[in-house]
Amino acid sequence: MNSIQPVILSGGSGTRLWPLSREAYPKQFLPLASELTMLQATWKRVEAIAARGPLVIANEEHRFVAAEQLQQVGAEPAAIILEPVGRNTAPAIAVAALEATREGADALLVVLPSDHVISDNAAFLRAVEQAAGAAEAGKLVTFGIVPTGPETGYGYIKAAAGEGTRAVERFVEKPDLATATDYVASGQYYWNSGMFLFKASRYLQELERFQPAMLASSCDAWSKARRDADFTRLDKEAFAAVPSDSIDYAVMEKTADAMVVPLDAGWNDVGSWTALRDVSQQDGDGNAHQGDVIAIDCRNTYAYGQRLVAMVGLDDVIVVETDDAVLVGKGDRMQEVKAVVAQLKAEGRSEATWHRKVYRPWGAYDSIDNGARFQVKRITVKPGGTL
């Protein structure tokens, strides 16, 4: 197997998990499904097969928390590349591929979003090993999740007939329920996971073929990047000029070399509070709770409480309590949380972006009280940190 270079995409905002996930501290930095944060868990998932530390693509505003969380689990990143503005996955992977080939190497890039849950890590690693042969031969491999039902919230991939690694026949947008039911029944369709494996050089070749302007401007932003011991800062003006597009639209739907490996490993993209309930440990009534929660005669609920949360007689209800906001909603309506965030932004409210407690390289401050002419902050400074 060629050397494996993990690429971790950590630029998302996670608005559907508000109020816990916010723009300044999104879900990949939260310990939602285990004691590790989702970013940390993503690295630990591939650490055993990685030839070197991860290439991490992160929002510039998240640079210190990303670096600190990786340090906490012993990761030594090959680079932390900072995006001054978001430009979707195709340019992010392009600058990762450029960085990976910087010294003449041509590793296999295993591209992983930082906010997914995989419960069967051994099955995931077997799928990567299975995909490696095709990737070494120049194919661009994606991982198709074996569907557990007719999910309408995911894109689908149709695979050619056969077993194992197969050619992709087509990518399909999120279908309606009847179409999704037909897809699952056919056995030829898989959920689009957004995870990939390919040679760095092959991705750059295909991007140049189908999106030459995107590659040229990505190269410009990367070549003008400012580098120090900790971060690679892409040039803001050059990266802002990069066309924004996903890897699916820019490359995978156009290339003749797309292949798919089926993956059945307990995957979940944790795209809503309901999804988080589904991957969390539940009691005999389907309740999943984190924090100080009392539930009387409740079924199929999820509660997250930083203070005491008490629930009585609820079914399929989500309750999330933080120090400055409370979310309560029906489980089947949780995709609409992003509408709440949109309204907060439209009203210029800070709760869309910031928690009451704000982390800084030196520690954190907690705005415990404020009024028209005063504000009180509790400041915590890490050992050795300075203001």
Side-chain angles (χ1 to χ4, degrees):
M1 185 188 295
N2 201 342
S3 61
I4 294 286
Q5 171 65 71
V7 175
I8 300 178
L9 305 178
S10 183
S13 58
T15 57
R16 288 177 295 180
L17 288 177
W18 184 92
L20 200 57
S21 174
R22 305 195 190 183
E23 192 172 303
Y25 206 86
K27 67 176 181 176
Q28 59 265 33
F29 302 120
L30 299 170
L32 293 177
S34 72
E35 293 181 353
L36 296 176
T37 70
M38 300 189 82
L39 172 65
Q40 292 170 334
T42 303
W43 161 244
K44 299 302 284 187
R45 188 174 303 142
V46 292
E47 181 180 20
I49 61 170
R52 58 190 63 82
L55 277 168
V56 180
I57 313 298
N59 185 307
E60 188 169 3
E61 297 299 319
H62 302 153
R63 61 192 182 278
F64 294 114
V65 66
E68 182 175 8
Q69 289 195 0
L70 291 167
Q71 183 183 42
Q72 288 170 353
V73 291
E76 297 182 6
I80 299 178
I81 302 174
L82 303 178
E83 295 179 310
V85 292
R87 281 296 175 265
N88 215 316
T89 53
I93 298 168
V95 296
L98 291 166
E99 188 70 22
T101 56
R102 184 181 180 193
E103 297 178 356
D106 191 13
L108 291 181
L109 305 184
V110 56
V111 179
L112 305 172
S114 59
D115 55 0
H116 292 180
V117 169
I118 291 179
S119 59
D120 187 346
N121 203 58
F124 169 73
L125 294 180
R126 288 194 298 270
V128 173
E129 184 177 2
Q130 180 182 345
E136 288 176 333
K139 303 298 183 181
L140 284 73
V141 185
T142 187
F143 297 90
I145 305 302
V146 177
T148 57
E151 173 63 54
T152 60
Y154 299 139
Y156 282 71
I157 300 168
K158 185 181 181 184
E163 300 292 332
T165 307
R166 284 167 276 165
V168 171
E169 290 195 351
R170 64 176 179 135
F171 289 83
V172 184
E173 288 297 314
K174 298 174 183 177
D176 59 30
L177 182 58
T179 304
T181 301
D182 290 341
Y183 287 167
V184 174
S186 74
Q188 292 183 277
Y189 287 83
Y190 300 91
W191 293 340
N192 189 347
S193 71
M195 300 186 293
F196 305 91
L197 183 70
F198 39 65
K199 281 186 177 180
S201 62
R202 282 294 295 132
Y203 178 72
L204 294 173
Q205 288 167 3
E206 294 298 83
L207 190 64
E208 183 173 28
R209 176 180 301 176
F210 300 115
Q211 298 287 342
M214 180 183 291
L215 178 60
S217 48
S218 297
C219 286
D220 189 33
W222 175 77
S223 65
K224 293 177 179 176
R226 292 182 293 113
R227 303 171 187 272
D228 56 40
D230 299 312
F231 305 111
T232 297
R233 295 175 169 85
L234 298 174
D235 182 81
K236 184 173 183 178
E237 183 177 351
F239 199 65
V242 177
S244 178
D245 208 351
S246 70
I247 180 177
D248 289 335
Y249 287 139
V251 174
M252 296 301 292
E253 293 186 7
K254 297 180 173 67
T255 182
D257 287 324
M259 302 196 77
V260 60
V261 170
L263 176 63
D264 187 2
W267 173 91
N268 194 304
D269 72 346
V270 196
S272 70
W273 286 109
T274 310
L276 183 57
R277 177 187 64 189
D278 293 342
V279 300
S280 299
Q281 184 174 353
Q282 300 176 4
D283 65 18
D285 292 318
N287 302 301
H289 299 152
Q290 290 192 51
D292 191 2
V293 179
I294 295 175
I296 306 297
D297 191 26
C298 290
R299 292 170 180 80
N300 305 313
T301 64
Y302 179 90
Y304 178 98
Q306 295 184 350
R307 291 171 292 189
L308 172 62
V309 172
M311 305 189 299
V312 179
L314 299 180
D315 187 3
D316 192 30
V317 170
I318 308 294
V319 179
V320 183
E321 184 273 339
T322 67
D323 51 19
D324 64 347
V326 177
L327 169 71
V328 180
K330 292 289 291 181
D332 60 1
R333 301 284 298 275
M334 283 296 102
Q335 294 288 350
E336 298 173 48
V337 171
K338 59 185 178 183
V340 176
V341 178
Q343 183 168 335
L344 290 171
K345 288 185 175 181
E347 296 176 1
R349 298 189 56 158
S350 63
E351 292 95 335
T353 302
W354 300 99
H355 287 278
R356 200 183 77 173
K357 187 174 184 179
V358 177
Y359 292 88
R360 289 289 182 252
W362 43 262
Y365 65 84
D366 187 355
S367 299
I368 60 176
D369 196 11
N370 64 80
R373 300 182 62 184
F374 73 92
Q375 184 173 20
V376 180
K377 294 181 178 180
R378 180 187 292 116
I379 295 175
T380 304
V381 182
K382 294 186 295 188
T386 58
L387 297 180

